[in-house]
């Protein structure tokens, strides 16, 4: 009777370990399937934050001095265009604006090539065109 009970416990332990291993395997496979999506989302968020937080001062700190910097007073706002030489895209122009109030902050409006042909509408396109915008570098 004792031998049968011990044998039953051993069989139940093995079945429990098999079930636990199966569940752990399913969880690992699901994590491996979802991991590329997590990495892409993380990269997209980093690029979105890097591009949306760019100001003229941060742009100069990250990318160096511009080859052209023009500020125009268009009351009630101030517009600023900064041009940089891109290693792959020629000259890239960054457009910023702010209100004429002294406490106002610069807002990044757009990024385009000097001829105005190419517009970089997504953070990914902006970082690909001008890599020093990436917050990881």
């Amino acid at each position: 009777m004792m031998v049968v009970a011990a044998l039953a416990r051993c069989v139940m332990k093995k079945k429990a370990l098999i079930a636990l291993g199966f569940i752990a395997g399913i969880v690992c496979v699901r994590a491996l399937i979802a991991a590329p999506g997590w990495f892409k989302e993380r990269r997209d968020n980093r690029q979105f934050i890097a591009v949306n937080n760019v100001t003229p001062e941060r742009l100069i700190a990250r990318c160096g001095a511009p080859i052209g910097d023009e500020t125009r007073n268009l009351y009630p706002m101030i517009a600023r265009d900064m041009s940089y030489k891109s290693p792959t895209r020629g000259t890239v122009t960054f457009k910023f604006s702010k209100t004429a109030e002294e406490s106002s902050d610069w807002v990044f409006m757009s990024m385009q090539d000097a001829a105005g042909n190419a517009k970089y509408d997504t953070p990914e396109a902006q970082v690909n065109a001008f890599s020093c915008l990436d917050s990881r570098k």
Side-chain angles (χ1 to χ4, degrees):
M1 182 87 159
M2 281 281 220
V3 174
V4 172
L7 187 59
R9 267 196 311 266
C10 183
V11 169
M12 289 300 287
K13 253 189 210 182
K14 285 183 180 179
K15 286 184 178 181
L17 284 175
I18 290 171
L20 187 62
F22 184 72
I23 291 170
I26 290 174
V27 169
C28 287
V29 167
R30 291 280 302 184
L32 288 174
I33 290 171
W38 295 334
F39 293 133
K40 182 182 181 325
E41 183 178 339
R42 184 170 177 227
R43 183 186 69 237
D44 291 346
N45 286 343
R46 186 187 75 243
Q47 290 175 343
F48 179 79
I49 289 169
V51 169
N52 284 328
N53 289 335
V54 71
T55 63
E57 293 79 21
R58 286 186 182 150
L59 188 61
I60 291 170
R62 279 194 185 281
C63 304
I67 58 173
D69 190 355
E70 179 186 350
T71 304
R72 296 180 311 275
N73 190 351
L74 309 169
Y75 192 80
M77 65 184 278
I78 299 171
R80 185 173 182 181
D81 296 348
M82 298 175 72
S83 299
Y84 281 88
K85 183 76 174 155
S86 173
T88 58
R89 312 268 190 206
T91 303
V92 177
T93 303
F94 294 86
K95 297 183 179 286
F96 298 92
S97 69
K98 72 175 187 173
T99 61
E101 299 173 9
E102 285 190 30
S103 62
S104 175
D105 292 329
W106 287 105
V107 176
F108 175 64
M109 300 302 288
S110 67
M111 175 182 164
Q112 61 189 27
D113 68 351
N117 297 332
K119 282 207 166 220
Y120 307 100
D121 295 330
T122 64
E124 183 179 4
Q126 292 167 345
V127 169
N128 287 339
F130 209 67
S131 62
C132 67
L133 290 175
D134 194 358
S135 62
R136 194 180 265 185
K137 296 181 181 179

